[in-house]
Amino acid sequence: MEISTLATYHCLAFVWYFFVTYSITHVRTEERPSEVFLYGGQWKYLTVLNLVLQAVFYGVSFLADALRLIKKLRCAKCVISSRDLLFTVLAFPVSTFVCLSFWTLYTYNRELVYPKSLDGVIPLWLNHAMHTAVLPFAVLEILATPHRYPAKKKGLILLGFVAFLYISWVLWIYSVTGEWVYPLFALFRPAGLAAFFTCSLAIIISFYNFGEFLNRMIWGQSKFWF
């Protein structure tokens, strides 16, 4: 894909994610179900944090494209390294996990992850923007441009550290409020919850590996733009 075309795509993707993030964070207070938006607000939900992550990633990607267009290659190389680390370690595995885990649990019992009371607050298009569109965007990014993956150990340590931070945030919210971020967690005893978090981490690591596999199959080992 030509750099100018890629820059246009990344700019539009950034604007889209900024708009979606703005939309979900500006749900009118009086319309919010009391059992949903308590301590931590929307920032306790992985879905919303993922929207911010995607906006940051596409913003960095657009900056890298712009630097390449104006021939600032030394700066572009540094920004591209940051872009690739963001995408490979976080943006692709997290967006894949959000989409597939949400719709799996929603199909099983929506009250565990997305109570019906939210239907009157969050429009259908916004629900799909947060939980469905994130996966096609991630796959399209792999098809659009190659990304350099870090050493496997480094990538998995970074991914595991971010997962640990989010789990710690979830547990902190429970310790303060006595309520779980997702009703699903209330079904488990401590050992079961630990097993659930472990399995979730294993799944997101498999998505990391799958992204690396797709990137290698499409672009090979050596085609990278600097």
Side-chain angles (χ1 to χ4, degrees):
M1 187 180 291
E2 294 292 331
I3 299 177
S4 57
T5 304
L6 197 61
T8 301
Y9 163 67
H10 284 148
C11 181
L12 292 174
F14 168 73
V15 171
W16 166 252
Y17 274 113
F18 183 86
F19 170 69
V20 173
T21 303
Y22 177 87
S23 298
I24 190 60
T25 56
H26 284 76
V27 172
R28 287 185 294 177
T29 305
E30 64 271 15
E31 293 183 352
R32 298 176 181 179
S34 59
E35 74 276 14
V36 176
F37 298 104
L38 294 172
Y39 186 87
Q42 292 98 331
W43 307 111
K44 60 187 174 183
Y45 298 111
L46 184 60
T47 295
V48 178
L49 296 176
N50 180 57
L51 293 176
V52 176
L53 168 64
Q54 301 302 321
V56 170
F57 164 71
Y58 282 106
V60 172
S61 296
F62 175 67
L63 175 60
D65 298 334
L67 290 171
R68 290 166 61 202
L69 283 171
I70 62 176
K71 308 300 182 182
K72 299 289 185 179
L73 299 183
R74 180 173 296 182
C75 293
K77 184 175 181 179
C78 180
V79 176
I80 287 173
S81 296
S82 300
R83 177 204 71 183
D84 288 348
L85 193 65
L86 270 174
F87 180 76
T88 58
V89 175
L90 296 176
F92 181 83
V94 173
S95 60
T96 305
F97 179 81
V98 164
C99 178
L100 297 183
S101 62
F102 174 82
W103 288 113
T104 298
L105 291 170
Y106 184 98
T107 301
Y108 173 71
N109 182 355
R110 65 169 297 176
E111 294 298 319
L112 297 178
V113 290
Y114 194 82
K116 197 169 183 178
S117 57
L118 286 175
D119 287 347
V121 179
I122 300 176
L124 182 62
W125 73 266
L126 187 53
N127 181 20
H128 283 292
M130 295 188 297
H131 297 115
T132 307
V134 291
L135 181 54
F137 266 103
V139 174
L140 183 58
E141 177 64 22
I142 285 185
L143 297 174
T145 186
H147 296 277
R148 186 182 296 276
Y149 271 72
K152 181 63 67 71
K153 182 178 180 180
K154 177 182 177 182
L156 294 181
I157 287 175
L158 287 174
L159 179 58
F161 177 69
V162 173
F164 171 78
L165 289 179
Y166 180 69
I167 292 172
S168 298
W169 175 226
V170 168
L171 294 176
W172 171 258
I173 291 172
Y174 178 74
S175 71
V176 171
T177 67
E179 299 289 336
W180 288 109
V181 171
Y182 297 102
L184 169 68
F185 298 158
L187 300 179
F188 298 103
R189 293 182 178 179
L193 190 62
F196 177 83
F197 285 146
T198 301
C199 289
S200 296
L201 179 59
I203 291 171
I204 203 169
I205 287 174
S206 72
F207 292 149
Y208 171 93
N209 290 327
F210 181 63
E212 186 176 28
F213 169 78
L214 285 180
N215 187 74
R216 184 172 62 249
M217 291 297 294
I218 295 169
W219 299 104
Q221 294 280 12
S222 60
K223 186 177 180 180
F224 296 97
W225 293 336
F226 292 102

